Amino acid sequence: MANIFDIFKEISAKKETPNAPITHLIVGLGNPGDKYYNTRHNAGFLMMDYLAQRAGASIDRVKFKSLCGEATLGDKRVLLLKPQTLMNNSGLAVREAAAFYKIDPSNILVFSDDVSLDVGRSRLRLKGSDGGQKGLRSIIREMGTEDFPRIRFGVGAKPHPDYDMADWVLSEFNKDEQKLLFARFEPAFEAMLRYLAGDSDAAVRLCNARSEDKA
């Protein structure tokens, strides 16, 4: 069976179609500003930076209350979006971009943090509630549906029950945690390619597998 990255390279080597319509929206959630860069709540932004590097794209155009860019992933033309609204209003940016390109919610993939998962875990769900993540809550509210896929990166639970949740998600990853987080970006990228290719089952398996499951 061909490696997904070989398939990706083969597809990408075909004739480029830069004028093809945007059919998918890839969104990373976070808070703008250098002071938030390495915080737990910015796991989605960090994944978008990785994605842009892998795709040879830039996410630096100001539009839709966001920093955005375009990329061809497989045979799909996608808009890459990093909302600049602050986390709790991310849905305003997503709704505006989706309306402009007439993108169905099922074609919107969101990267976010998740305090219910340990650092070093990731989980893809094709739809569902916000799970307490306020950026996802905003998207659900503005789009009027829970039926869009999301990949969540574990950022760990707060140290003890009395710890303020806002303080926790705005705290920075230590070096060991950062390595564990970054190690999840490649399988998440691979899962994203599977999702774009229409193989959601494989995407879920790849993204949700523990690192030790692949050993």
PDB file of all heavy atoms in Angstrom, residues 161-186:
ATOM      1  N   PRO A 161      -8.066  21.093  41.128  1.00  0.00           N
ATOM      2  CA  PRO A 161      -9.405  21.620  40.860  1.00  0.00           C
ATOM      3  C   PRO A 161      -9.564  23.122  41.075  1.00  0.00           C
ATOM      4  O   PRO A 161     -10.396  23.758  40.414  1.00  0.00           O
ATOM      5  CB  PRO A 161     -10.289  20.828  41.829  1.00  0.00           C
ATOM      6  CG  PRO A 161      -9.545  19.562  42.060  1.00  0.00           C
ATOM      7  CD  PRO A 161      -8.094  19.929  42.029  1.00  0.00           C
ATOM      8  N   ASP A 162      -8.796  23.675  42.015  1.00  0.00           N
ATOM      9  CA  ASP A 162      -8.954  25.099  42.319  1.00  0.00           C
ATOM     10  C   ASP A 162      -8.190  26.013  41.369  1.00  0.00           C
ATOM     11  O   ASP A 162      -8.324  27.235  41.445  1.00  0.00           O
ATOM     12  CB  ASP A 162      -8.488  25.379  43.758  1.00  0.00           C
ATOM     13  CG  ASP A 162      -9.365  24.689  44.797  1.00  0.00           C
ATOM     14  OD1 ASP A 162     -10.550  24.453  44.484  1.00  0.00           O
ATOM     15  OD2 ASP A 162      -8.866  24.375  45.892  1.00  0.00           O
ATOM     16  N   TYR A 163      -7.389  25.432  40.475  1.00  0.00           N
ATOM     17  CA  TYR A 163      -6.603  26.227  39.533  1.00  0.00           C
ATOM     18  C   TYR A 163      -7.548  26.877  38.524  1.00  0.00           C
ATOM     19  O   TYR A 163      -8.419  26.219  37.952  1.00  0.00           O
ATOM     20  CB  TYR A 163      -5.589  25.325  38.822  1.00  0.00           C
ATOM     21  CG  TYR A 163      -4.406  26.039  38.221  1.00  0.00           C
ATOM     22  CD1 TYR A 163      -3.159  25.994  38.837  1.00  0.00           C
ATOM     23  CD2 TYR A 163      -4.519  26.738  37.023  1.00  0.00           C
ATOM     24  CE1 TYR A 163      -2.058  26.623  38.280  1.00  0.00           C
ATOM     25  CE2 TYR A 163      -3.439  27.385  36.464  1.00  0.00           C
ATOM     26  CZ  TYR A 163      -2.206  27.318  37.090  1.00  0.00           C
ATOM     27  OH  TYR A 163      -1.125  27.957  36.533  1.00  0.00           O
ATOM     28  N   ASP A 164      -7.395  28.149  38.302  1.00  0.00           N
ATOM     29  CA  ASP A 164      -8.258  28.865  37.362  1.00  0.00           C
ATOM     30  C   ASP A 164      -8.042  28.358  35.937  1.00  0.00           C
ATOM     31  O   ASP A 164      -6.909  28.319  35.451  1.00  0.00           O
ATOM     32  CB  ASP A 164      -7.974  30.369  37.436  1.00  0.00           C
ATOM     33  CG  ASP A 164      -8.915  31.159  36.533  1.00  0.00           C
ATOM     34  OD1 ASP A 164     -10.076  31.322  36.907  1.00  0.00           O
ATOM     35  OD2 ASP A 164      -8.457  31.595  35.454  1.00  0.00           O
ATOM     36  N   MET A 165      -9.141  27.973  35.271  1.00  0.00           N
ATOM     37  CA  MET A 165      -9.018  27.394  33.927  1.00  0.00           C
ATOM     38  C   MET A 165      -8.427  28.386  32.927  1.00  0.00           C
ATOM     39  O   MET A 165      -7.607  28.016  32.079  1.00  0.00           O
ATOM     40  CB  MET A 165     -10.379  26.909  33.434  1.00  0.00           C
ATOM     41  CG  MET A 165     -10.344  26.269  32.052  1.00  0.00           C
ATOM     42  SD  MET A 165      -9.238  24.824  31.958  1.00  0.00           S
ATOM     43  CE  MET A 165     -10.287  23.592  32.763  1.00  0.00           C
ATOM     44  N   ALA A 166      -8.830  29.657  33.011  1.00  0.00           N
ATOM     45  CA  ALA A 166      -8.283  30.660  32.087  1.00  0.00           C
ATOM     46  C   ALA A 166      -6.775  30.790  32.265  1.00  0.00           C
ATOM     47  O   ALA A 166      -6.030  30.888  31.276  1.00  0.00           O
ATOM     48  CB  ALA A 166      -8.965  32.001  32.299  1.00  0.00           C
ATOM     49  N   ASP A 167      -6.318  30.778  33.512  1.00  0.00           N
ATOM     50  CA  ASP A 167      -4.877  30.854  33.768  1.00  0.00           C
ATOM     51  C   ASP A 167      -4.170  29.624  33.202  1.00  0.00           C
ATOM     52  O   ASP A 167      -3.058  29.722  32.675  1.00  0.00           O
ATOM     53  CB  ASP A 167      -4.596  30.968  35.267  1.00  0.00           C
ATOM     54  CG  ASP A 167      -4.982  32.319  35.836  1.00  0.00           C
ATOM     55  OD1 ASP A 167      -5.134  33.274  35.046  1.00  0.00           O
ATOM     56  OD2 ASP A 167      -5.137  32.419  37.073  1.00  0.00           O
ATOM     57  N   TRP A 168      -4.825  28.465  33.314  1.00  0.00           N
ATOM     58  CA  TRP A 168      -4.201  27.225  32.844  1.00  0.00           C
ATOM     59  C   TRP A 168      -4.022  27.223  31.324  1.00  0.00           C
ATOM     60  O   TRP A 168      -2.931  26.943  30.824  1.00  0.00           O
ATOM     61  CB  TRP A 168      -5.021  26.013  33.276  1.00  0.00           C
ATOM     62  CG  TRP A 168      -4.487  24.715  32.757  1.00  0.00           C
ATOM     63  CD1 TRP A 168      -5.109  23.838  31.928  1.00  0.00           C
ATOM     64  CD2 TRP A 168      -3.198  24.136  33.036  1.00  0.00           C
ATOM     65  NE1 TRP A 168      -4.307  22.766  31.653  1.00  0.00           N
ATOM     66  CE2 TRP A 168      -3.127  22.915  32.321  1.00  0.00           C
ATOM     67  CE3 TRP A 168      -2.115  24.544  33.805  1.00  0.00           C
ATOM     68  CZ2 TRP A 168      -1.995  22.092  32.371  1.00  0.00           C
ATOM     69  CZ3 TRP A 168      -0.987  23.721  33.851  1.00  0.00           C
ATOM     70  CH2 TRP A 168      -0.933  22.517  33.146  1.00  0.00           C
ATOM     71  N   VAL A 169      -5.089  27.540  30.582  1.00  0.00           N
ATOM     72  CA  VAL A 169      -4.973  27.462  29.121  1.00  0.00           C
ATOM     73  C   VAL A 169      -4.088  28.572  28.567  1.00  0.00           C
ATOM     74  O   VAL A 169      -3.591  28.462  27.431  1.00  0.00           O
ATOM     75  CB  VAL A 169      -6.355  27.466  28.429  1.00  0.00           C
ATOM     76  CG1 VAL A 169      -7.148  26.241  28.823  1.00  0.00           C
ATOM     77  CG2 VAL A 169      -7.133  28.739  28.727  1.00  0.00           C
ATOM     78  N   LEU A 170      -3.877  29.623  29.332  1.00  0.00           N
ATOM     79  CA  LEU A 170      -2.975  30.691  28.890  1.00  0.00           C
ATOM     80  C   LEU A 170      -1.572  30.529  29.443  1.00  0.00           C
ATOM     81  O   LEU A 170      -0.718  31.397  29.249  1.00  0.00           O
ATOM     82  CB  LEU A 170      -3.542  32.060  29.281  1.00  0.00           C
ATOM     83  CG  LEU A 170      -4.853  32.443  28.589  1.00  0.00           C
ATOM     84  CD1 LEU A 170      -5.330  33.810  29.067  1.00  0.00           C
ATOM     85  CD2 LEU A 170      -4.705  32.435  27.067  1.00  0.00           C
ATOM     86  N   SER A 171      -1.314  29.408  30.114  1.00  0.00           N
ATOM     87  CA  SER A 171       0.045  29.109  30.572  1.00  0.00           C
ATOM     88  C   SER A 171       0.836  28.468  29.435  1.00  0.00           C
ATOM     89  O   SER A 171       0.259  27.911  28.490  1.00  0.00           O
ATOM     90  CB  SER A 171       0.013  28.179  31.782  1.00  0.00           C
ATOM     91  OG  SER A 171      -0.484  26.889  31.427  1.00  0.00           O
ATOM     92  N   GLU A 172       2.157  28.546  29.511  1.00  0.00           N
ATOM     93  CA  GLU A 172       3.010  28.056  28.436  1.00  0.00           C
ATOM     94  C   GLU A 172       3.362  26.581  28.611  1.00  0.00           C
ATOM     95  O   GLU A 172       3.420  26.065  29.731  1.00  0.00           O
ATOM     96  CB  GLU A 172       4.294  28.888  28.355  1.00  0.00           C
ATOM     97  CG  GLU A 172       4.061  30.331  27.936  1.00  0.00           C
ATOM     98  CD  GLU A 172       5.356  31.038  27.550  1.00  0.00           C
ATOM     99  OE1 GLU A 172       6.443  30.461  27.772  1.00  0.00           O
ATOM    100  OE2 GLU A 172       5.274  32.147  27.017  1.00  0.00           O
ATOM    101  N   PHE A 173       3.579  25.915  27.485  1.00  0.00           N
ATOM    102  CA  PHE A 173       4.101  24.558  27.511  1.00  0.00           C
ATOM    103  C   PHE A 173       5.552  24.599  27.995  1.00  0.00           C
ATOM    104  O   PHE A 173       6.313  25.484  27.603  1.00  0.00           O
ATOM    105  CB  PHE A 173       4.100  23.944  26.106  1.00  0.00           C
ATOM    106  CG  PHE A 173       2.737  23.696  25.528  1.00  0.00           C
ATOM    107  CD1 PHE A 173       2.229  24.534  24.548  1.00  0.00           C
ATOM    108  CD2 PHE A 173       1.971  22.619  25.947  1.00  0.00           C
ATOM    109  CE1 PHE A 173       0.975  24.304  23.990  1.00  0.00           C
ATOM    110  CE2 PHE A 173       0.724  22.386  25.400  1.00  0.00           C
ATOM    111  CZ  PHE A 173       0.228  23.220  24.417  1.00  0.00           C
ATOM    112  N   ASN A 174       5.949  23.623  28.810  1.00  0.00           N
ATOM    113  CA  ASN A 174       7.372  23.498  29.087  1.00  0.00           C
ATOM    114  C   ASN A 174       8.022  22.751  27.920  1.00  0.00           C
ATOM    115  O   ASN A 174       7.328  22.303  26.985  1.00  0.00           O
ATOM    116  CB  ASN A 174       7.626  22.807  30.429  1.00  0.00           C
ATOM    117  CG  ASN A 174       7.103  21.368  30.482  1.00  0.00           C
ATOM    118  OD1 ASN A 174       7.215  20.616  29.518  1.00  0.00           O
ATOM    119  ND2 ASN A 174       6.541  20.989  31.627  1.00  0.00           N
ATOM    120  N   LYS A 175       9.334  22.611  27.933  1.00  0.00           N
ATOM    121  CA  LYS A 175      10.037  22.045  26.781  1.00  0.00           C
ATOM    122  C   LYS A 175       9.626  20.609  26.495  1.00  0.00           C
ATOM    123  O   LYS A 175       9.467  20.211  25.334  1.00  0.00           O
ATOM    124  CB  LYS A 175      11.550  22.138  27.005  1.00  0.00           C
ATOM    125  CG  LYS A 175      12.082  23.560  26.917  1.00  0.00           C
ATOM    126  CD  LYS A 175      13.603  23.593  27.054  1.00  0.00           C
ATOM    127  CE  LYS A 175      14.137  25.019  26.932  1.00  0.00           C
ATOM    128  NZ  LYS A 175      15.615  25.079  27.064  1.00  0.00           N
ATOM    129  N   ASP A 176       9.453  19.809  27.543  1.00  0.00           N
ATOM    130  CA  ASP A 176       9.052  18.416  27.335  1.00  0.00           C
ATOM    131  C   ASP A 176       7.647  18.340  26.755  1.00  0.00           C
ATOM    132  O   ASP A 176       7.382  17.532  25.844  1.00  0.00           O
ATOM    133  CB  ASP A 176       9.107  17.645  28.657  1.00  0.00           C
ATOM    134  CG  ASP A 176      10.531  17.412  29.144  1.00  0.00           C
ATOM    135  OD1 ASP A 176      11.451  17.455  28.303  1.00  0.00           O
ATOM    136  OD2 ASP A 176      10.717  17.188  30.354  1.00  0.00           O
ATOM    137  N   GLU A 177       6.738  19.154  27.248  1.00  0.00           N
ATOM    138  CA  GLU A 177       5.373  19.174  26.729  1.00  0.00           C
ATOM    139  C   GLU A 177       5.355  19.641  25.276  1.00  0.00           C
ATOM    140  O   GLU A 177       4.600  19.105  24.446  1.00  0.00           O
ATOM    141  CB  GLU A 177       4.502  20.102  27.572  1.00  0.00           C
ATOM    142  CG  GLU A 177       4.193  19.575  28.960  1.00  0.00           C
ATOM    143  CD  GLU A 177       3.444  20.595  29.798  1.00  0.00           C
ATOM    144  OE1 GLU A 177       3.701  21.813  29.633  1.00  0.00           O
ATOM    145  OE2 GLU A 177       2.612  20.182  30.610  1.00  0.00           O
ATOM    146  N   GLN A 178       6.175  20.625  24.967  1.00  0.00           N
ATOM    147  CA  GLN A 178       6.229  21.142  23.597  1.00  0.00           C
ATOM    148  C   GLN A 178       6.667  20.054  22.627  1.00  0.00           C
ATOM    149  O   GLN A 178       6.105  19.916  21.535  1.00  0.00           O
ATOM    150  CB  GLN A 178       7.171  22.340  23.530  1.00  0.00           C
ATOM    151  CG  GLN A 178       7.055  23.145  22.251  1.00  0.00           C
ATOM    152  CD  GLN A 178       7.947  24.365  22.272  1.00  0.00           C
ATOM    153  OE1 GLN A 178       9.170  24.254  22.324  1.00  0.00           O
ATOM    154  NE2 GLN A 178       7.340  25.541  22.249  1.00  0.00           N
ATOM    155  N   LYS A 179       7.651  19.243  23.031  1.00  0.00           N
ATOM    156  CA  LYS A 179       8.106  18.143  22.173  1.00  0.00           C
ATOM    157  C   LYS A 179       6.986  17.134  21.944  1.00  0.00           C
ATOM    158  O   LYS A 179       6.807  16.642  20.824  1.00  0.00           O
ATOM    159  CB  LYS A 179       9.316  17.453  22.811  1.00  0.00           C
ATOM    160  CG  LYS A 179      10.596  18.277  22.768  1.00  0.00           C
ATOM    161  CD  LYS A 179      11.735  17.542  23.458  1.00  0.00           C
ATOM    162  CE  LYS A 179      13.014  18.372  23.449  1.00  0.00           C
ATOM    163  NZ  LYS A 179      14.117  17.687  24.170  1.00  0.00           N
ATOM    164  N   LEU A 180       6.246  16.818  22.999  1.00  0.00           N
ATOM    165  CA  LEU A 180       5.140  15.873  22.870  1.00  0.00           C
ATOM    166  C   LEU A 180       4.048  16.429  21.951  1.00  0.00           C
ATOM    167  O   LEU A 180       3.489  15.700  21.123  1.00  0.00           O
ATOM    168  CB  LEU A 180       4.551  15.573  24.248  1.00  0.00           C
ATOM    169  CG  LEU A 180       5.397  14.719  25.190  1.00  0.00           C
ATOM    170  CD1 LEU A 180       4.785  14.708  26.591  1.00  0.00           C
ATOM    171  CD2 LEU A 180       5.534  13.295  24.654  1.00  0.00           C
ATOM    172  N   LEU A 181       3.745  17.712  22.090  1.00  0.00           N
ATOM    173  CA  LEU A 181       2.751  18.341  21.226  1.00  0.00           C
ATOM    174  C   LEU A 181       3.201  18.316  19.778  1.00  0.00           C
ATOM    175  O   LEU A 181       2.445  17.894  18.884  1.00  0.00           O
ATOM    176  CB  LEU A 181       2.501  19.785  21.673  1.00  0.00           C
ATOM    177  CG  LEU A 181       1.580  20.615  20.763  1.00  0.00           C
ATOM    178  CD1 LEU A 181       0.151  20.091  20.820  1.00  0.00           C
ATOM    179  CD2 LEU A 181       1.645  22.096  21.138  1.00  0.00           C
ATOM    180  N   PHE A 182       4.415  18.762  19.535  1.00  0.00           N
ATOM    181  CA  PHE A 182       4.915  18.834  18.156  1.00  0.00           C
ATOM    182  C   PHE A 182       4.954  17.453  17.503  1.00  0.00           C
ATOM    183  O   PHE A 182       4.776  17.338  16.288  1.00  0.00           O
ATOM    184  CB  PHE A 182       6.294  19.475  18.124  1.00  0.00           C
ATOM    185  CG  PHE A 182       6.299  20.953  18.409  1.00  0.00           C
ATOM    186  CD1 PHE A 182       7.492  21.660  18.482  1.00  0.00           C
ATOM    187  CD2 PHE A 182       5.121  21.650  18.624  1.00  0.00           C
ATOM    188  CE1 PHE A 182       7.511  23.034  18.745  1.00  0.00           C
ATOM    189  CE2 PHE A 182       5.110  23.010  18.892  1.00  0.00           C
ATOM    190  CZ  PHE A 182       6.315  23.698  18.949  1.00  0.00           C
ATOM    191  N   ALA A 183       5.164  16.402  18.291  1.00  0.00           N
ATOM    192  CA  ALA A 183       5.202  15.043  17.741  1.00  0.00           C
ATOM    193  C   ALA A 183       3.845  14.608  17.214  1.00  0.00           C
ATOM    194  O   ALA A 183       3.761  13.687  16.390  1.00  0.00           O
ATOM    195  CB  ALA A 183       5.688  14.058  18.805  1.00  0.00           C
ATOM    196  N   ARG A 184       2.774  15.268  17.660  1.00  0.00           N
ATOM    197  CA  ARG A 184       1.434  14.926  17.176  1.00  0.00           C
ATOM    198  C   ARG A 184       1.080  15.628  15.881  1.00  0.00           C
ATOM    199  O   ARG A 184       0.071  15.290  15.243  1.00  0.00           O
ATOM    200  CB  ARG A 184       0.377  15.280  18.239  1.00  0.00           C
ATOM    201  CG  ARG A 184       0.488  14.513  19.524  1.00  0.00           C
ATOM    202  CD  ARG A 184       0.539  13.016  19.302  1.00  0.00           C
ATOM    203  NE  ARG A 184      -0.609  12.516  18.570  1.00  0.00           N
ATOM    204  CZ  ARG A 184      -0.700  11.282  18.090  1.00  0.00           C
ATOM    205  NH1 ARG A 184       0.299  10.436  18.228  1.00  0.00           N
ATOM    206  NH2 ARG A 184      -1.787  10.888  17.445  1.00  0.00           N
ATOM    207  N   PHE A 185       1.872  16.603  15.468  1.00  0.00           N
ATOM    208  CA  PHE A 185       1.515  17.368  14.283  1.00  0.00           C
ATOM    209  C   PHE A 185       1.618  16.548  13.005  1.00  0.00           C
ATOM    210  O   PHE A 185       0.794  16.696  12.106  1.00  0.00           O
ATOM    211  CB  PHE A 185       2.381  18.623  14.186  1.00  0.00           C
ATOM    212  CG  PHE A 185       2.039  19.688  15.198  1.00  0.00           C
ATOM    213  CD1 PHE A 185       2.861  20.801  15.367  1.00  0.00           C
ATOM    214  CD2 PHE A 185       0.916  19.589  15.992  1.00  0.00           C
ATOM    215  CE1 PHE A 185       2.553  21.789  16.298  1.00  0.00           C
ATOM    216  CE2 PHE A 185       0.587  20.562  16.924  1.00  0.00           C
ATOM    217  CZ  PHE A 185       1.416  21.666  17.070  1.00  0.00           C
ATOM    218  N   GLU A 186       2.612  15.678  12.898  1.00  0.00           N
ATOM    219  CA  GLU A 186       2.742  14.872  11.672  1.00  0.00           C
ATOM    220  C   GLU A 186       1.562  13.931  11.490  1.00  0.00           C
ATOM    221  O   GLU A 186       0.961  13.905  10.399  1.00  0.00           O
ATOM    222  CB  GLU A 186       4.052  14.100  11.662  1.00  0.00           C
ATOM    223  CG  GLU A 186       4.229  13.286  10.378  1.00  0.00           C
ATOM    224  CD  GLU A 186       5.573  12.584  10.306  1.00  0.00           C
ATOM    225  OE1 GLU A 186       6.514  13.004  11.001  1.00  0.00           O
ATOM    226  OE2 GLU A 186       5.666  11.614   9.537  1.00  0.00           O
TER     227      GLU A 186
END
